[in-house]
Amino acid sequence: MLTFAPGVPIVQAPMAGGASTPELAAAVCEAGALGFLAAGYKSTAQMREEIERTRALTARPFGMNLFVPTADTPDQSGLDAYAAAIGAEARRLGATLGRPEGGDDDFDAKVADLLADPPAVVSFTFGLPGAELIRAFRDRGVTVVATVTSEEEARRASAADVLCVQGQEAGGHRGSFANADADDVSLDELVSRVRAVSRLPVIAAGGLATAADVARVLAAGAVAAVAGTAFLLAREAGTAATHRAALADPRFTETAVTRAFTGRPARGLVNRFMTDYSALAPAAYPHVHHLTAPLRRAAAASGDAETLHLWAGTSWRRAREAPAAEIVAELARGA
């Protein structure tokens, strides 16, 4: 059973791509909440190095998130067409598009590493490993968290210890088991639906950035509130400078869900790239992610917010620059 320090039922969402750092996770843990690292897009060695850095910064429990490999088998002609469509964007930034390959994000190697020396909590996104692997983690004393976005996924995740229920308001990738367009279900409604079909403890994620948000989901039966976007501007976060600036830029007025950057539905600030290419992007993850990665790195380096993936939940306007401990304290007032 997932446990928290008394009175601080707050979880810092794992944010792959750089925002989640050992410094952020440790600061959240030291504030009495649960910090998370993100293994996505990192090598096994990089994941282990971040675990050790976090342990050097805090003796409190923390979590690690893994991406479960997807089974997308996209049509090559669709990928080729998308590469041709965005080629001019890469050339403009002096970048070369990546190879639109698949891959499993070193899942097996990361699992083996974590089983040998695990953190207190391991969570899974984009699916759920088999019951045998879940038992192996539980035998090591690890709390296993499954990310779910529907009642059916909650039913299928019955072997986990805790369900992270992710509403449509959440920033970044939808954690759905399949690369499909998710139902447009609010977090509040989804928590209610999941609790109706599962007895597992629920932690609620999606658009939570204030004490009132936390109070609302706790009153609905969640044992903790998960906040990601609220920590993007934390001083300890690794959020890229271009991304940080965009979160405070008044020219960005809304968020939307797109496949344009990675081939899988993800919510971010609506910018020119999203507007121009969302309708063209194939449902192909991680193929599109690898294809656009060099272009996005170049955009971040040049300060081009109109071409960068600006992941953010619907609550992005309420994110603020502050120490992580201060953000935890503010959110915890809702408890």
Side-chain angles (χ1 to χ4, degrees), residues 21-279:
T21 64
E23 291 74 19
L24 176 61
V28 169
C29 292
E30 288 296 300
L34 181 67
F36 253 96
L37 300 172
Y41 312 131
K42 295 182 174 72
S43 68
T44 303
Q46 289 171 325
M47 179 192 75
R48 174 52 53 184
E49 191 270 337
E50 291 202 350
I51 289 173
E52 297 309 323
R53 280 172 54 198
T54 306
R55 285 173 171 167
L57 294 168
T58 183
R60 294 177 181 268
F62 61 90
M64 176 63 76
N65 175 257
L66 295 178
F67 287 168
V68 176
T70 63
D72 289 349
T73 53
D75 176 68
Q76 187 61 45
S77 63
L79 285 169
D80 290 343
Y82 193 57
I86 65 174
E89 300 285 352
R91 291 190 293 273
R92 177 177 57 82
L93 290 167
T96 300
L97 292 174
R99 292 175 58 85
E101 300 173 323
D104 63 3
D105 202 42
D106 284 342
F107 182 77
D108 290 342
K110 288 173 180 174
V111 164
D113 182 274
L114 292 176
L115 283 172
D117 185 11
V121 184
V122 173
S123 69
F124 295 94
T125 298
F126 301 157
L128 195 67
E132 183 176 345
L133 180 53
I134 292 175
R135 284 195 298 272
F137 274 114
R138 296 181 75 181
D139 288 346
R140 296 299 313 275
V142 175
T143 296
V144 176
V145 180
T147 306
V148 300
T149 62
S150 70
E151 303 103 300
E152 178 55 31
E153 290 177 356
R155 291 188 186 97
R156 291 169 58 188
S158 60
D161 296 306
V162 177
L163 300 180
C164 177
V165 176
Q166 186 193 47
Q168 60 91 16
E169 302 94 336
H173 284 108
R174 288 285 282 165
S176 307
F177 288 11
N179 187 358
D181 293 328
D183 292 336
D184 195 20
V185 180
S186 70
L187 175 61
D188 292 13
E189 175 63 21
L190 190 57
V191 167
S192 176
R193 292 185 186 182
V194 168
R195 293 191 71 230
V197 301
S198 175
R199 293 174 177 263
L200 293 178
V202 164
I203 60 177
L208 307 180
T210 68
D213 294 333
V214 172
R216 189 185 77 246
V217 295
L218 295 182
V223 300
V226 183
T229 301
F231 287 101
L232 281 175
L233 295 180
R235 293 178 186 171
E236 300 88 346
T239 312
T242 303
H243 192 174
R244 282 180 179 269
L247 290 167
D249 192 329
R251 68 178 152 146
F252 298 111
T253 60
E254 60 182 331
T255 65
V257 175
T258 183
R259 282 194 175 90
F261 298 103
T262 68
R264 191 176 178 101
R267 182 176 293 280
L269 300 180
V270 176
N271 61 5
R272 183 189 57 78
F273 193 93
M274 186 190 293
T275 300
D276 289 351
Y277 298 108
S278 287

